[in-house]
Amino acid sequence: LLQETRICLVSKHNSILGAVCEALLSLLFPFVWQGVSIPILPHNTLDILDAPVPFIVGVHSKYLIDVSVNDRPCGVVFVDLDKDVVHLGFEDEGMASYARSLPALPDHKAEKLRQRLDVLTSHLYVAPPNGIKGGMTYGFGDILSDQTREEYARGELVEVTEPKKRGWTLTRADRAFVNNEHMEQLDLFDDEIIDDEDRSVTSKGKNSKKRTSLLDTAYDETETFSASDVREEFLKFLAKSLKQYDKFISDNPNKTGRIFDTKGFLNSKDYPANVRDTMERILKTQMFNRFLQDKQQQPPPFHIQIFDENITLKKNKKTVKKITGKQKETPFLDDTQQQITETYTTPPPSNRGLPDDGRVYQYTHFPRLDQTLFGTTRKPKQWKSSLSDDTQHQQQTAQSRDLLQDSFMSKLVATSQSNSTGDSNAPNAPPQDLEWALYMTSFQHVHHSSSRRELHHLIQANSVYKNQLPQAKKLIFAMRLQHGATNARLAVLQSVVRRRRMRRDYLSLKANVVFLQQVMRKKLFKNQDVVEGRGRSVLYVMVLRAQRVFRGYLVRREYRRTRMAIIRLQQTSRMWKIRKNYLNFSRAIIILQANHRQRHTAFVYRLIITLVSVIQSQIRGFLRRIIVKRLIRERVKMYRLQIFDLWRRTFTPLTYRSKFWAMSGTGFLQLALHEEELARLWRLLGVTVQRSATVFEKYTQVQQLVNSVKNKNNMIVPVFAAELEQRMDLILAEKALKTERDGVYKKMKHEMGKEQQMEIFKLFNLGMGEEKKKDRI
């Protein structure tokens, strides 16, 4: 925090985050945190962690679970309050990032601070389940061992008797009523004792129980713990570390160009080489610059006086100063005017005015309040735009469905009424078809109606619905049977078509076989050597052989087809497996390439964002300094004109004017001096302006009042209260100014030479031929 590092507190208990954040910032006294402070950072604004500005924020512990160490922003220190672990992470220095190390502090002073804190708080420390007090990691989550730490920053192993005690203690902090006080029955109200002499209120109630919450402020100052003592130890540590700082503050910043001599301060013997890097970072922070600016104010603010006198107390403890008696006084710390002597305590509920006869008041439930006594309540506004598009679409769909059902049921009611009157030819009668039946079965009973007429209409529709619902179900069942019969006819038709196609193929194959047999017979009968009987037997054998050959051909053809189909199926299966493996391998390569590119791109992107943010901040700072410098120059110019005019009215001495007018520059110091001079002149003239107005608004009001009474001769016209009342201090100031002017006139006339007089005349643009030049000056 002293180096204005980006800090992120992590806990699953939101109540702890705010308290720890405020406690850490209070330990920086007398410095004031100049960065961003968000004790509880919403989950949808986590991009703030990438901001290149000092901040201390608190987030839920699920952030450390959802975001890995590689994806966390560089330069941010994460403090896990639930597990008592500090994740140092990486140091973000411009274009380079490297593992962060612990900042080195003065060994003796830091060790003494740790010893004092152990005495004050060790008996209240609740160890985490692993028993490690002060665990730390750095880089990619590597544990920072004690060998690499200084002695004052090393961790400890604590005996854990109750592993769940830390989680239980932190969980109780989230409760509004730690001991379930809201469930306890109250006794009779106790009397109050009011002491009119010291205006303090005390109570002797029986129901006033101390809370045991971790955030209860009643435990800040007890016999076993004192929060003020802890803050005092940190203040002593800072006072020891910066005890020589006032010697290096420049007396003339405009001449030297700097307010503080950083190099001289770091080269002093109080800081060894390993500590100078840490101290240099502290001296470059916005907190220290603000501290130096406050130091230049006269009188300095209270926190500056407290810090300086604490340093004086530290120096007074030296043995040499005790012996010689050259100890400096500390009037601000010794002043007891602002010491708290009274404590006001809120009195408990009183039974004053109730009968004191031992009655016990009990309530079974919270009493019903009379709303007429609340006054006129404003009807809450309905925000239509707060609904999402899906919600609006669902509401519109529901409304259209309700309107459609209302119109259908209104026709249904009219039809039922017309049927009951004997008019079967009603023009609005809905057809008894499938659509009518589906509407009947999908009708909803629930309907929000505010009109009595609409309610009567709804009751009639419900009665008709109950009467005609069986008819609608019968119609739907009949339509289902009709569709089933149609599907059965279609199935029979498909089977007939398939049989006709198979018969046609069979007949074509049979015709081909018969044609082949005829051809074979013709070839056999051409042989004349074959007798008739033998020829028939041979013909029969040939036919059987031909049939067998033909069947073999058909079997081989079918076999070849089956074999080719199996080969194609195998090839397709192999290709599918190869393609699947190829796609998986290609997808894995693409993912690896994408991850590599993403990490490289993310790293370059973070570097570019950081560089752009630094450039933007420098440009904005440069432009803002130009604008502020121009504004200060213009306001100083306007303030000087009014100051000169008010000097004439208050008869300010010429010596004071010369000393004040000789100050040059356009910085904040000159602006503050001119504003202080204006405030002094306004008080002297009795100017009445609004207290809440700014200095420039007060200047504008006074200038308008002065411009309203200006004349061509530049004569002073009384307009302010002190001028109109002709106060004695203004009369005496006028006489003193006249005497001072007479002295200047005599000095110019009798003591100055002609050459000096000529130079003065030239400054006032007075010619040598003019008369009464000294009087005019």
Side-chain angles (χ1 to χ4, degrees):
L1 286 176
L2 288 175
Q3 296 180 354
E4 289 187 345
T5 307
R6 292 179 287 172
I7 306 296
C8 180
L9 305 178
V10 182
S11 177
K12 63 181 178 181
H13 309 284
N14 292 333
S15 58
I16 299 297
L17 294 175
V20 174
C21 180
E22 294 299 327
L24 291 176
L25 295 183
S26 66
L27 299 179
L28 296 176
F29 184 86
F31 301 117
V32 181
W33 180 255
Q34 302 296 314
V36 180
S37 176
I38 308 176
I40 300 178
L41 183 66
H43 186 71
N44 56 357
T45 58
L46 290 176
D47 295 339
I48 294 178
L49 298 178
D50 294 321
V53 296
F55 60 74
I56 177 170
V57 299
V59 299
H60 197 271
S61 58
K62 66 179 181 180
Y63 177 82
L64 297 180
I65 302 175
D66 298 338
V67 182
S68 62
V69 179
N70 299 334
D71 297 333
R72 295 173 191 171
C74 295
V76 181
V77 177
F78 292 91
V79 182
D80 193 345
L81 301 177
D82 298 337
K83 300 180 181 179
D84 193 8
V85 178
V86 178
H87 303 281
L88 299 177
F90 290 90
E91 185 75 37
D92 192 3
E93 293 289 346
M95 301 296 291
S97 298
Y98 50 90
R100 186 192 299 273
S101 59
L102 279 176
L105 298 174
D107 295 339
H108 178 69
K109 302 180 182 64
E111 182 62 26
K112 189 172 182 180
L113 174 62
R114 173 165 181 169
Q115 293 176 1
R116 288 294 303 155
L117 292 179
D118 288 340
V119 173
L120 294 174
T121 62
S122 60
H123 60 284
L124 300 176
Y125 178 77
V126 181
N130 57 5
I132 300 177
K133 179 180 179 182
M136 289 187 183
T137 64
Y138 72 100
F140 291 103
D142 299 330
I143 298 176
L144 187 64
S145 61
D146 289 341
Q147 287 76 10
T148 59
R149 304 193 205 177
E150 301 293 339
E151 292 185 1
Y152 57 83
R154 293 180 180 176
E156 297 179 7
L157 289 177
V158 184
E159 182 180 359
V160 181
T161 58
E162 299 180 15
K164 298 182 179 180
K165 184 176 181 181
R166 185 182 182 89
W168 172 76
T169 304
L170 297 178
T171 303
R172 288 171 62 87
D174 290 334
R175 299 180 183 177
F177 298 96
V178 181
N179 297 319
N180 295 327
E181 295 86 352
H182 62 293
M183 302 297 294
E184 297 179 0
Q185 182 179 1
L186 294 175
D187 297 333
L188 284 175
F189 293 152
D190 299 318
D191 295 333
E192 3 178 83
I193 301 175
I194 302 178
D195 191 357
D196 295 334
E197 295 181 358
D198 57 359
R199 303 292 299 171
S200 62
V201 181
T202 59
S203 173
K204 58 177 184 178
K206 300 178 181 179
N207 296 318
S208 58
K209 295 183 178 179
K210 292 185 178 180
R211 298 178 60 182
T212 58
S213 174
L214 187 64
L215 304 179
D216 195 346
T217 56
Y219 290 94
D220 288 350
E221 301 297 333
T222 60
E223 296 179 358
T224 58
F225 175 74
S226 176
S228 60
D229 291 344
V230 175
R231 292 194 294 268
E232 185 178 358
E233 293 300 327
F234 279 93
L235 179 60
K236 290 180 180 179
F237 171 74
L238 293 176
K240 294 176 185 177
S241 302
L242 302 173
K243 62 182 177 180
Q244 304 294 340
Y245 85 98
D246 54 345
K247 295 181 180 180
F248 299 93
I249 297 178
S250 178
D251 297 330
N252 192 357
N254 296 327
K255 182 178 180 180
T256 59
R258 59 178 183 270
I259 301 177
F260 189 78
D261 185 8
T262 304
K263 293 184 179 180
F265 180 79
L266 295 176
N267 292 331
S268 60
K269 61 180 181 180
D270 295 336
Y271 303 102
N274 61 333
V275 184
R276 291 175 184 174
D277 186 28
T278 303
M279 296 305 299
E280 184 178 3
R281 293 188 178 186
I282 295 176
L283 299 180
K284 290 181 179 180
T285 59
Q286 300 178 19
M287 292 189 299
F288 190 75
N289 291 332
R290 175 64 182 274
F291 177 79
L292 294 178
Q293 292 178 5
D294 295 340
K295 174 70 175 177
Q296 293 179 348
Q297 297 181 14
Q298 295 297 331
F302 291 157
H303 63 282
I304 303 295
Q305 298 183 37
I306 294 174
F307 186 69
D308 290 344
E309 292 191 4
N310 271 278
I311 294 177
T312 303
L313 285 177
K314 178 62 180 176
K315 294 179 179 179
N316 289 340
K317 292 181 179 180
K318 291 185 177 180
T319 308
V320 178
K321 290 190 176 182
K322 287 184 178 181
I323 296 174
T324 58
K326 296 181 179 179
Q327 296 181 351
K328 295 183 180 180
E329 297 181 354
T330 55
F332 187 82
L333 294 179
D334 298 335
D335 188 8
T336 60
Q337 294 181 0
Q338 302 297 329
Q339 187 176 3
I340 299 175
T341 58
E342 298 178 351
T343 302
Y344 291 86
T345 305
T346 304
S350 174
N351 57 358
R352 182 176 298 177
L354 299 177
D356 190 9
D357 53 0
R359 297 182 184 180
V360 177
Y361 297 90
Q362 295 181 351
Y363 298 92
T364 58
H365 60 278
F366 193 81
R368 187 181 300 275
L369 304 178
D370 188 0
Q371 297 183 1
T372 59
L373 301 178
F374 291 166
T376 304
T377 57
R378 178 174 58 85
K379 186 178 181 180
K381 187 176 181 179
Q382 299 294 332
W383 297 94
K384 296 182 180 180
S385 60
S386 62
L387 297 176
S388 61
D389 296 338
D390 296 338
T391 306
Q392 292 180 359
H393 178 70
Q394 292 176 2
Q395 291 184 357
Q396 293 176 0
T397 305
Q399 292 177 0
S400 61
R401 184 183 66 244
D402 293 342
L403 293 175
L404 183 62
Q405 289 182 355
D406 291 344
S407 62
F408 176 76
M409 295 309 297
S410 62
K411 294 179 181 179
L412 187 62
V413 172
T415 304
S416 62
Q417 292 178 355
S418 62
N419 292 334
S420 62
T421 56
D423 186 7
S424 60
N425 299 323
N428 295 328
Q432 301 291 329
D433 55 1
L434 182 61
E435 183 180 2
W436 170 83
L438 293 176
Y439 272 121
M440 286 296 297
T441 55
S442 63
F443 175 72
Q444 295 183 357
H445 299 275
V446 180
H447 189 279
H448 299 283
S449 177
S450 58
S451 175
R452 187 173 183 181
R453 181 179 180 181
E454 293 178 0
L455 183 61
H456 178 69
H457 174 73
L458 181 62
I459 294 173
Q460 291 181 352
N462 285 331
S463 61
V464 174
Y465 166 77
K466 293 180 180 179
N467 295 331
Q468 298 191 7
L469 182 59
Q471 184 180 357
K473 290 183 177 180
K474 290 181 181 179
L475 181 59
I476 292 174
F477 182 72
M479 293 300 295
R480 288 178 179 174
L481 293 178
Q482 183 178 357
H483 284 293
T486 304
N487 293 334
R489 295 190 188 97
L490 289 175
V492 172
L493 179 61
Q494 290 176 352
S495 63
V496 171
V497 171
R498 292 193 194 97
R499 286 198 301 271
R500 288 176 64 86
R501 186 176 298 173
M502 293 176 64
R503 181 176 179 79
R504 183 184 60 187
D505 295 340
Y506 169 74
L507 292 177
S508 176
L509 181 61
K510 183 179 180 182
N512 292 331
V513 172
V514 171
F515 175 75
L516 182 61
Q517 290 176 352
Q518 292 176 358
V519 172
M520 292 299 296
R521 289 193 190 99
K522 288 180 180 180
K523 288 182 178 181
L524 291 174
F525 282 118
K526 287 181 179 180
N527 192 356
Q528 298 178 359
D529 296 334
V530 180
V531 294
E532 182 178 0
R534 186 179 177 183
R536 289 181 179 179
S537 61
V538 171
L539 179 62
Y540 179 74
V541 171
M542 293 298 293
V543 170
L544 292 178
R545 189 175 295 174
Q547 290 179 350
R548 189 163 50 250
V549 171
F550 183 73
R551 292 191 189 97
Y553 167 75
L554 293 179
V555 171
R556 285 193 300 271
R557 187 181 67 176
E558 186 67 23
Y559 167 74
R560 284 195 296 268
R561 289 180 180 178
T562 305
R563 183 173 179 273
M564 290 302 297
I566 292 173
I567 291 173
R568 290 178 181 177
L569 182 61
Q570 290 176 349
Q571 291 177 350
T572 304
S573 177
R574 292 192 192 100
M575 290 299 297
W576 182 80
K577 290 181 179 180
I578 294 173
R579 179 177 175 80
K580 182 178 179 182
N581 294 333
Y582 169 76
L583 291 177
N584 292 334
F585 181 74
S586 176
R587 191 178 296 109
I589 295 297
I590 292 172
I591 292 173
L592 290 176
Q593 291 177 348
N595 290 335
H596 179 71
R597 294 193 200 99
Q598 181 181 6
R599 292 190 62 182
H600 181 71
T601 306
F603 177 74
V604 175
Y605 174 74
R606 285 197 295 267
L607 293 181
I608 294 174
I609 289 296
T610 303
L611 182 60
V612 171
S613 301
V614 172
I615 294 174
Q616 288 178 346
S617 62
Q618 291 180 356
I619 293 175
R620 284 195 293 267
F622 175 73
L623 296 177
R624 182 57 60 89
R625 286 193 294 271
I626 292 176
I627 295 172
V628 171
K629 187 175 181 180
R630 186 182 304 167
L631 178 63
I632 292 175
R633 184 170 57 251
E634 294 296 332
R635 290 201 175 180
V636 168
K637 184 178 179 180
M638 293 187 293
Y639 289 168
R640 288 171 77 92
L641 293 176
Q642 189 177 103
I643 287 172
F644 184 77
D645 195 359
L646 297 181
W647 276 347
R648 296 178 59 196
R649 295 179 178 273
T650 56
F651 306 103
T652 303
L654 298 179
T655 305
Y656 181 83
R657 298 186 191 184
S658 302
K659 291 181 179 179
F660 186 87
W661 209 260
M663 291 186 298
S664 62
T666 58
F668 286 99
L669 181 60
Q670 284 73 19
L671 180 63
L673 291 175
H674 284 77
E675 290 178 350
E676 288 292 334
E677 180 62 17
L678 283 176
R680 185 187 70 82
L681 294 173
W682 293 340
R683 290 192 300 269
L684 188 59
L685 291 173
V687 177
T688 57
V689 292
Q690 297 179 359
R691 293 184 177 180
S692 60
T694 61
V695 177
F696 186 74
E697 292 176 352
K698 295 178 182 179
Y699 157 80
T700 305
Q701 297 177 11
V702 174
Q703 191 63 32
Q704 291 177 357
L705 188 61
V706 172
N707 293 336
S708 63
V709 296
K710 273 190 175 180
N711 50 28
K712 297 181 179 180
N713 298 329
N714 200 16
M715 298 295 293
I716 298 176
V717 179
V719 67
F720 297 106
E723 294 177 328
L724 298 175
E725 296 175 1
Q726 295 183 357
R727 290 194 328 207
M728 183 58 65
D729 53 351
L730 294 182
I731 296 174
L732 296 177
E734 183 179 7
K735 291 180 180 180
L737 179 60
K738 186 175 181 181
T739 304
E740 189 177 8
R741 285 176 173 170
D742 292 340
V744 173
Y745 177 81
K746 292 177 182 180
K747 186 175 181 180
M748 290 179 60
K749 184 175 181 180
H750 300 291
E751 298 181 7
M752 288 187 180
K754 291 184 178 181
E755 295 180 357
Q756 294 180 350
Q757 292 180 3
M758 290 293 291
E759 292 178 359
I760 295 176
F761 293 158
K762 288 181 181 180
L763 292 175
F764 286 90
N765 297 325
L766 297 177
M768 296 302 298
E770 297 183 12
E771 297 180 354
K772 297 184 178 180
K773 294 187 286 300
K774 302 182 184 64
D775 292 338
R776 295 178 61 183
I777 291 175

